């Protein structure tokens, strides 16, 4: 069966520090991968998605970047965090066929202080 | 600009009664719709979905209805149970396989 791992669960970082959140998927190959952020009142906002190694699409301009160095690994990064980067970050995967569901990791609560 | 909207931030229902959660979308290219349930500090879990070729899909106590002409879908939970208390997210996707979510509705089922 497929599983998705996301870590860390919580993170407190000072403004201006770098960020690296990692997500890995097991039990499937060539998944579509996603990073979402949950902000108050705005639901789940799609930040990045990837259909393959090295293929990243950004949905919104922001202080963050994403990379996919391996088929089942997705990384969310920032060189210098802003206060506004605080939020609940979720990684998700889906199959590459049509009309399929997305499955989410447990999320990372990031607090920038 | 949100393409998927849930206009009710919260809903309170008595145990045993029906819960109806609503969702509207604007993009006519969406052809697959999903509902997720989310507890605090956890990732959303998939509940039920419906393809645009159908107008109803049922799974146990959960039924999703789709009205394409109105660009509206709803989730019915019958009977509602206290364990159903959570935030429910509506989502939509199209042939680009990106999932767009609404802002969520917090359901409280009172014993």
């Amino acid at each position: 069966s497929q599983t998705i791992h996301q870590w860390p669960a919580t993170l407190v970082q000072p403004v201006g520090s770098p960020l690296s959140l990692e997500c890995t998927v097991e039990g499937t190959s060539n998944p579509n991968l996603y990073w979402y952020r949950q902000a108050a009142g705005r639901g789940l906002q799609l930040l990045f998605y990837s259909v393959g190694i090295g293929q990243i699409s950004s949905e919104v301009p922001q202080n963050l970047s994403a990379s996919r160095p391996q088929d089942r690994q997705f990384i969310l990064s920032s060189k210098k965090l802003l206060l506004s980067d605080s939020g609940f970050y979720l990684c998700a995967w889906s199959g590459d066929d049509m009309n399929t569901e997305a499955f989410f990791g447990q999320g990372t609560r990031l607090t920038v202080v | 600009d949100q393409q998927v909207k849930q206009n009710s931030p919260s809903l309170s229902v008595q145990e045993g009664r029906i819960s109806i959660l609503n969702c509207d979308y604007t993009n006519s290219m969406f052809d697959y719709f999903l509902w997720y349930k989310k507890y605090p500090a956890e990732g959303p879990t998939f509940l039920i979905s419906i393809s645009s070729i159908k107008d109803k899909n049922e799974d146990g106590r959960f039924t999703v209805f789709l009205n394409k002409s109105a660009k509206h879908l709803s989730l019915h939970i019958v009977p509602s149970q206290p364990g159903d208390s959570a935030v429910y997210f509506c989502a939509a996707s199209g042939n680009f396989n990106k999932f767009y979510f609404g802002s969520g509705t917090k359901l409280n089922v009172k014993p």
Side-chain angles (χ1 to χ4, degrees):
Chain A
S1 64
Q2 302 90 356
T3 56
I4 179 168
H5 303 280
Q6 184 182 344
W7 66 93
T10 60
L11 191 59
V12 179
Q13 292 283 99
V15 168
S17 65
L19 172 74
S20 180
L21 301 181
E22 188 165 344
C23 172
T24 60
V25 181
E26 296 177 357
T28 186
S29 59
N30 198 34
N32 294 331
L33 296 172
Y34 311 86
W35 279 111
Y36 284 86
R37 175 170 58 202
Q38 183 181 14
R42 293 201 63 185
L44 302 177
Q45 183 183 31
L46 178 60
L47 302 177
F48 299 96
Y49 77 101
S50 171
V51 298
I53 296 173
Q55 301 178 61
I56 310 294
S57 295
S58 173
E59 281 291 293
V60 293
Q62 57 204 313
N63 184 43
L64 302 167
S65 62
S67 61
R68 183 170 178 174
Q70 300 180 45
D71 181 45
R72 290 170 289 176
Q73 183 185 28
F74 206 23
I75 297 171
L76 183 69
S77 304
S78 174
K79 292 182 179 177
K80 288 185 178 182
L81 283 169
L82 306 172
L83 286 174
S84 58
D85 292 324
S86 294
F88 191 57
Y89 289 84
L90 289 154
C91 180
W93 75 272
S94 73
D96 60 359
D97 48 345
M98 299 305 301
N99 290 354
T100 183
E101 300 78 46
F103 299 94
F104 285 83
Q106 288 298 296
T108 296
R109 170 66 63 189
L110 171 66
T111 304
V112 182
V113 296
Chain B
D1 182 32
Q2 278 196 293
Q3 301 184 61
V4 179
K5 298 180 182 179
Q6 294 175 257
N7 294 317
S8 298
S10 63
L11 175 67
S12 187
V13 171
Q14 201 68 37
E15 181 179 6
R17 305 294 291 269
I18 185 171
S19 295
I20 300 177
L21 297 100
N22 294 301
C23 178
D24 298 293
Y25 62 96
T26 58
N27 191 336
S28 57
M29 298 300 291
F30 289 145
D31 61 5
Y32 195 60
F33 305 89
L34 312 93
W35 284 95
Y36 285 80
K37 179 179 181 179
K38 185 182 181 302
Y39 294 114
E42 294 184 8
T45 55
F46 169 73
L47 261 181
I48 191 170
S49 62
I50 187 167
S51 165
S52 60
I53 62 174
K54 295 184 177 181
D55 55 17
K56 177 183 174 181
N57 188 28
E58 194 171 350
D59 183 3
R61 296 186 298 115
F62 301 91
T63 303
V64 56
F65 295 92
L66 175 63
N67 182 334
K68 282 180 293 183
S69 61
K71 292 191 176 69
H72 177 84
L73 64 154
S74 61
L75 174 68
H76 292 208
I77 306 174
V78 181
S80 301
Q81 300 173 355
D84 296 329
S85 296
V87 176
Y88 289 78
F89 288 98
C90 166
S93 71
N95 58 5
F96 33 80
N97 242 15
K98 291 186 285 185
F99 299 85
Y100 293 94
F101 284 78
S103 55
T105 297
K106 185 175 183 179
L107 174 65
N108 179 34
V109 180
K110 297 177 287 186

